[in-house]
C-alpha cells in the first residue's frame, strides 16, 4: 500500500523483523490497527509494543502495550479557523485512543470466535484471511480497518478484540490442564460506564461481553463461554434508560418512556436466541430505589417473552454483609436449566462429544462487580462438572478442595473482572474479595472505597472526552468538512466551567475556614462572627449553584447522542 510505504519512509518506521536502514532512529511496528481520516488528512494507527500473554488453540496471543497514530497527507493550512479548532480536538481524542486498554490479537488465528462456533463454520472458512473469519461484533478496530480492506492489503490487517485474556496452569491430581479465560467486548454499543447504559433502538446493549472458559488437557478441549454454563454473557439491562452524571455520587436513573421499548427487548433476545440457543437470565439488581424501578420495568418486559426464563435475585440483599455463601440460593433456582444447557466438548480425536445448547445472561446495573462474582461462581460449577466428566475428579470432588489450583482459578476471574472494569468504568472491579476469599476483608473494603471515589471522579470529569474518542474511532461520529462539526454544535466551552467552579468552591471553603479560626482566636467578636456567617452562606450558595448546574459542569460527550 503506497500510503503505508510513504509513511514508513517518512517516519523511519518499519515492519516487525525488518528494521531497514539503521543509520537513523528506527522503531518496530508490530502491526497496523487501521486508518482514520480527519479534517487535515489521514492518520495510521500502528502497534508499537506488545506482550505475549498465552496461546489460543496453540497459537500465540499478544496484548497491545502501546499504539501510536502517525499522520500523513497533512493539509491543516487549508482549514478554516473553526476546522482547525475541531481538528485540534480530534487530535486530542486520538491521544485518548492510543491509551485504550485491554486490546488483544493473534497473527495466526482468529480469536473473535468461540470454539463451538469455529467448529460449525463451513469447510474452507478457516483458510480465509483472519479478518474475514472474524465476528464483526467483537472486532474493536473494525471501522478503521475499512480503508485497508478496500486496498486489499491482507498482510497489514490485524483484527483486535477488547476484553481480557487470562490463562493459568492447574495441576489437578498430576493431570495438568490449562484454563484460559477470553472475554470479548461487543462493539455495537461501545462506551464508558455512565455514557453508555441500557440498549439502543436496535437492541444492542452497553458493556455486552462474551466470556469463554477454555479447558485444555491431554488433547481434549472443553469450551466454557460466560453466558450460561459453558458459555456465559453479560450486558446492560436491554431497556432504554440513562444515568446522566450531575456531580451526585449516585445520579438519578431515568427510564426513557418510548413506544419501541418492547420491540427493543424483543430484538435483543431474538438475536441472542439465534446465536446461543435457550437463554437463561439472572438479574442481580436491587429491589428498592432507582434500581428497583429499573428491575420492575425489566421484569414486566420479560413477562412478555415466553421462551426466555428470567430470574430476579437481589444480590445485595442476599449476599450483603459477607454472606457470599447465599449465592447458592441463586444457583438453586437456575441449576436445572444451567446444567441442561451443558458445555461444548471435543474428544481426543477432534470429534464433538457434546454441544452447549444455551447460555446464561447475567446483569446488575454496571454488569461489573456483582456480575463478575456471580459468573465466577457459575464458572466454578461448570469446571467441576467438566473435570468430573473426563475422570480427573470423582463425583464428590470439586476445585475448592485443591487450594493451589483453586487460588489460580480465582485469580484468573479477579484479573479478568479488573480488566473489564478498567475498560468500562476506569477503575478496578469492586467486590474482588468475594471472588478471591468468599468474603469481604478490611483491606478489600478500603480498596473498594478508593475505587468508588476514583469512579466518581472519572465519570464526572473524564469520561465525556473518553466517550468522544470511542465514538470517533468506532465510526459513530462522521468527520465531514461539508457540514458544521458536531463538536461545534455541542460546544466545547463547558470545559472552562470545571476549573472556575473548583476555584470558587475551594476559595469559599478556605475563606470560611480562616474566618472560623479567627472566631476561635478572637472569641465571640460580633464582627468576626458575622463575617464567618456571611462567608459560610456564600460558600453554601456557591455549592448550591454548582450542584444545580452539575450536568453543565461535568465532562460530557459532544459528538453523538446517547441512544
Amino acid at each position: 500500500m503506497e500510503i503505508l510505504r510513504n509513511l514508513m519512509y517518512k517516519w523511519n518506521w518499519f515492519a516487525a523483523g525488518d528494521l531497514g536502514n539503521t543509520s537513523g532512529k528506527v522503531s518496530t511496528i508490530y502491526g497496523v490497527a487501521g486508518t482514520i481520516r480527519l479534517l487535515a488528512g489521514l492518520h495510521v494507527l500502528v502497534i508499537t509494543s506488545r506482550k505475549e500473554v498465552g496461546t489460543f488453540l496453540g497459537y500465540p496471543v499478544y496484548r497491545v502495550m502501546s499504539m501510536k497514530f502517525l499522520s500523513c497527507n497533512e493539509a491543516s493550512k487549508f482549514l478554516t479557523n473553526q476546522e482547525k479548532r475541531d481538528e485540534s480536538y480530534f487530535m486530542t481524542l486520538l491521544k485518548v485512543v492510543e491509551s485504550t486498554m485491554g486490546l488483544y490479537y493473534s497473527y495466526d488465528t482468529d480469536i473473535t470466535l468461540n470454539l463451538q462456533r469455529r467448529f460449525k463454520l463451513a469447510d474452507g472458512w478457516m483458510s480465509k484471511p483472519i479478518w474475514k473469519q472474524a465476528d464483526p461484533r467483537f472486532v474493536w478496530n473494525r471501522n478503521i480497518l475499512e480503508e485497508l480492506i478496500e486496498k486489499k492489503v491482507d498482510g497489514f490487517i490485524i483484527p483486535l478484540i477488547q476484553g481480557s485474556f487470562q490463562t493459568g496452569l492447574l495441576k489437578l491430581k498430576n493431570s495438568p490442564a490449562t484454563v484460559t479465560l477470553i472475554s470479548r467486548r461487543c462493539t455495537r454499543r461501545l462506551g464508558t460506564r455512565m455514557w453508555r447504559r441500557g440498549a439502543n433502538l436496535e437492541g444492542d446493549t452497553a458493556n455486552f461481553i462474551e466470556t469463554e472458559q477454555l479447558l485444555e488437557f491431554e488433547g481434549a478441549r472443553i469450551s466454557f463461554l460466560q453466558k450460561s454454563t459453558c458459555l456465559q454473557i453479560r450486558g446492560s439491562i436491554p431497556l432504554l434508560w440513562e444515568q446522566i452524571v450531575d456531580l451526585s455520587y449516585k445520579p438519578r436513573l431515568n427510564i426513557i418512556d418510548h413506544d419501541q421499548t418492547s420491540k427493543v427487548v424483543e430484538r435483543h433476545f431474538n438475536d441472542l436466541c439465534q446465536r446461543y440457543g435457550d437463554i437463561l437470565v439472572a438479574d442481580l439488581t436491587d429491589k428498592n430505589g432507582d434500581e428497583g424501578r429499573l428491575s420492575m420495568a425489566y421484569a414486566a418486559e420479560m413477562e412478555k417473552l415466553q421462551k426466555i426464563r428470567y430470574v430476579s435475585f437481589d444480590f445485595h440483599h442476599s449476599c450483603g454483609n459477607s454472606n457470599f455463601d447465599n449465592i447458592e440460593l441463586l444457583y438453586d433456582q437456575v441449576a436445572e436449566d444451567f446444567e441442561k444447557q451443558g458445555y461444548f466438548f471435543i474428544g481426543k480425536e477432534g470429534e464433538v462429544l457434546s454441544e452447549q445448547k444455551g447460555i446464561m445472561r447475567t446483569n446488575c446495573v454496571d454488569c461489573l462487580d456483582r456480575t463478575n462474582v456471580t459468573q465466577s461462581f457459575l464458572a466454578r460449577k461448570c469446571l467441576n462438572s467438566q473435570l468430573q466428566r473426563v475422570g480427573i475428579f470423582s463425583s464428590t470432588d470439586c476445585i475448592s478442595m485443591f487450594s493451589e489450583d483453586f487460588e489460580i482459578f480465582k485469580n484468573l476471574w479477579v484479573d479478568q473482572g479488573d480488566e473489564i472494569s478498567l475498560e468500562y468504568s476506569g477503575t478496578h472491579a469492586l467486590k474482588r474479595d468475594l471472588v478471591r476469599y468468599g468474603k469481604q476483608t478490611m483491606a478489600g473494603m478500603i480498596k473498594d472505597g478508593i475505587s468508588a471515589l476514583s469512579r466518581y471522579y472519572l465519570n464526572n470529569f473524564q469520561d465525556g472526552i473518553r466517550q468522544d474518542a470511542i465514538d470517533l474511532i468506532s465510526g459513530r461520529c462522521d468527520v465531514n468538512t461539508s457540514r458544521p462539526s458536531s463538536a461545534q454544535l455541542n460546544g466545547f466551552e463547558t470545559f472552562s466551567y470545571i476549573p472556575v467552579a473548583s476555584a470558587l468552591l475551594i476559595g469559599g471553603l478556605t475563606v470560611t475556614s480562616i474566618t472560623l479560626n479567627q472566631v476561635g482566636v478572637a472569641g465571640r467578636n460580633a464582627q468576626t462572627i458575622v463575617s464567618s456567617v456571611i462567608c459560610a452562606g456564600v460558600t453554601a450558595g456557591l455549592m448550591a449553584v454548582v450542584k444545580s448546574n452539575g450536568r453543565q459542569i461535568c465532562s460530557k460527550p459532544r459528538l453523538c447522542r446517547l441512544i
Side-chain angles (χ1 to χ4, degrees):
M1 181 178 174
E2 195 63 30
I3 290 177
L4 290 176
R5 291 196 192 98
N6 292 340
L7 187 68
M8 294 163 77
Y9 175 79
K10 174 182 176 181
W11 288 84
N12 277 328
W13 289 66
F14 300 88
D18 180 15
L19 300 181
N21 185 355
T22 58
S23 59
K25 179 184 177 183
V26 177
S27 298
T28 301
I29 292 176
Y30 293 98
V32 179
T35 64
I36 185 170
R37 289 189 179 275
L38 299 182
L39 300 175
L42 182 74
H43 303 265
V44 181
L45 180 61
V46 296
I47 300 169
T48 56
S49 179
R50 68 181 186 187
K51 177 183 179 182
E52 186 172 347
V53 292
T55 61
F56 181 64
L57 306 179
Y59 299 104
V61 174
Y62 299 91
R63 178 177 183 176
V64 175
M65 303 305 292
S66 65
M67 301 185 293
K68 186 175 181 62
F69 274 103
L70 304 179
S71 303
C72 57
N73 300 333
E74 293 185 13
S76 57
K77 62 183 178 182
F78 301 112
L79 299 180
T80 66
N81 289 335
Q82 180 58 49
E83 287 172 342
K84 288 179 180 178
R85 286 193 292 270
D86 291 348
E87 183 76 357
S88 176
Y89 184 63
F90 292 141
M91 293 301 294
T92 300
L93 299 184
L94 293 190
K95 290 293 184 184
V96 176
V97 172
E98 290 176 350
S99 62
T100 300
M101 294 177 288
L103 298 178
Y104 297 87
Y105 70 96
S106 174
Y107 297 110
D108 306 305
T109 191
D110 172 38
I111 60 174
T112 68
L113 296 175
N114 62 67
L115 190 58
Q116 179 165 316
R117 189 172 176 196
R118 288 169 71 102
F119 268 74
K120 289 187 174 183
L121 292 174
D123 292 341
W125 182 268
M126 303 308 291
S127 63
K128 294 182 177 182
I130 291 175
W131 67 268
K132 287 186 177 180
Q133 301 173 29
D135 185 339
R137 292 183 303 157
F138 301 126
V139 180
W140 174 82
N141 55 332
R142 180 169 62 94
N143 177 66
I144 59 175
L145 286 177
E146 289 181 357
E147 187 159 345
L148 295 176
I149 292 172
E150 289 174 4
K151 298 292 184 180
K152 298 181 180 180
V153 284
D154 291 348
F156 281 105
I157 300 172
I158 298 180
L160 303 174
I161 68 165
Q162 186 180 39
S164 179
F165 188 97
Q166 309 292 332
T167 185
L169 180 64
L170 308 181
K171 296 180 180 178
L172 298 173
K173 294 184 174 181
N174 296 319
S175 299
T178 300
V179 176
T180 303
L181 279 185
I182 312 172
S183 290
R184 307 172 176 100
R185 182 180 298 279
C186 182
T187 61
R188 290 178 175 175
R189 189 157 168 74
L190 203 59
T192 60
R193 177 175 174 247
M194 287 300 190
W195 294 112
R196 283 296 175 268
R197 295 291 213 188
N200 58 21
L201 293 175
E202 288 71 40
D204 307 313
T205 60
N207 203 25
F208 184 90
I209 296 171
E210 173 189 280
T211 303
E212 182 172 18
Q213 180 169 291
L214 178 64
L215 180 62
E216 296 180 277
F217 50 91
E218 297 180 351
R221 299 186 181 99
I222 305 172
S223 172
F224 178 127
L225 277 153
Q226 278 182 344
K227 286 184 180 186
S228 192
T229 164
C230 301
L231 235 180
Q232 298 187 69
I233 52 176
R234 71 177 75 190
S236 191
I237 290 177
L239 303 177
L240 302 175
W241 61 282
E242 61 186 8
Q243 195 173 13
I244 306 300
V245 292
D246 59 1
L247 297 181
S248 300
Y249 177 72
K250 198 171 185 179
R252 292 303 304 270
L253 190 153
N254 177 42
I255 302 172
I256 299 171
D257 186 14
H258 199 288
D259 58 5
Q260 286 286 307
T261 294
S262 295
K263 287 292 184 183
V264 167
V265 178
E266 185 178 349
R267 289 175 191 132
H268 177 73
F269 282 102
N270 282 345
D271 180 62
L272 295 187
C273 288
Q274 291 175 8
R275 295 180 184 279
Y276 301 109
D278 296 335
I279 309 298
L280 176 59
V281 176
D283 176 17
L284 308 177
T285 53
D286 296 348
K287 298 300 168 275
N288 300 305
D290 282 355
E291 281 195 31
R293 291 192 300 107
L294 183 62
S295 181
M296 287 177 61
Y298 189 19
E301 292 298 334
M302 294 306 294
E303 287 181 2
K304 303 173 186 177
L305 303 179
Q306 300 299 318
K307 295 183 179 180
I308 310 295
R309 187 180 172 208
Y310 169 83
V311 176
S312 179
F313 181 77
D314 189 333
F315 185 95
H316 284 148
H317 176 75
S318 299
C319 301
N321 300 318
S322 296
N323 294 321
F324 178 60
D325 289 343
N326 287 344
I327 195 71
E328 289 280 2
L329 298 175
L330 171 63
Y331 190 72
D332 290 342
Q333 297 182 63
V334 302
E336 183 177 353
D337 289 331
F338 182 74
E339 292 167 9
K340 191 182 297 183
Q341 289 178 349
Y343 44 81
F344 187 57
F345 191 96
I346 304 172
K348 293 183 179 179
E349 304 302 322
E351 71 277 19
V352 176
L353 300 179
S354 67
E355 295 186 7
Q356 185 170 340
K357 301 178 181 65
I359 201 161
M360 187 156 183
R361 186 193 193 281
T362 307
N363 72 266
C364 47
V365 171
D366 297 330
C367 301
L368 295 176
D369 315 315
R370 287 170 280 182
T371 296
N372 206 62
V373 171
T374 303
Q375 287 195 334
S376 68
F377 180 83
L378 296 170
R380 192 201 319 170
K381 291 288 188 181
C382 185
L383 180 65
N384 289 336
S385 176
Q386 292 168 326
L387 294 174
Q388 288 167 7
R389 173 168 179 170
V390 297
I392 292 179
F393 280 180
S394 69
S395 59
T396 58
D397 285 340
C398 60
I399 189 69
S400 59
M401 297 168 60
F402 303 88
S403 58
E404 186 175 339
D405 291 329
F406 191 33
E407 193 68 22
I408 292 172
F409 177 78
K410 289 186 293 184
N411 285 336
L412 292 178
W413 276 91
V414 170
D415 293 342
Q416 184 242 201
D418 278 344
E419 194 159 16
I420 287 174
S421 180
L422 282 165
E423 295 158 11
Y424 189 52
S425 72
T427 74
H428 290 94
L430 310 183
K431 299 178 175 66
R432 290 183 292 171
D433 283 356
L434 290 182
V435 178
R436 188 171 272 136
Y437 308 118
K439 62 180 181 180
Q440 282 279 31
T441 66
M442 181 56 69
M445 286 189 282
I446 293 172
K447 289 179 181 177
D448 284 355
I450 294 172
S451 292
L453 290 174
S454 297
R455 281 185 186 181
Y456 172 82
Y457 173 77
L458 294 171
N459 296 163
N460 280 276
F461 303 116
Q462 295 273 314
D463 282 354
I465 189 171
R466 197 157 69 97
Q467 185 63 55
D468 276 346
I470 293 170
D471 288 337
L472 179 65
I473 206 70
S474 60
R476 294 192 76 245
C477 165
D478 182 24
V479 178
N480 194 326
T481 58
S482 64
R483 63 172 183 267
S485 73
S486 52
Q488 180 183 3
L489 292 174
N490 288 293
F492 291 159
E493 68 278 5
T494 54
F495 274 126
S496 61
Y497 294 158
I498 299 173
V500 172
S502 300
L504 288 173
L505 285 177
I506 293 171
L509 290 171
T510 301
V511 172
T512 302
S513 298
I514 292 172
T515 56
L516 286 173
N517 186 56
Q518 288 177 346
V519 171
V521 173
R524 297 182 177 275
N525 180 283
Q527 184 177 354
T528 307
I529 292 174
V530 170
S531 299
S532 299
V533 171
I534 292 174
C535 288
V538 171
T539 302
L542 284 172
M543 292 179 69
V545 170
V546 169
K547 181 66 177 68
S548 63
N549 291 277
R551 290 196 176 190
Q552 285 69 45
I553 293 173
C554 290
S555 169
K556 58 180 178 290
R558 293 158 177 77
L559 302 184
C560 299
R561 295 179 300 174
L562 296 184
I563 302 298

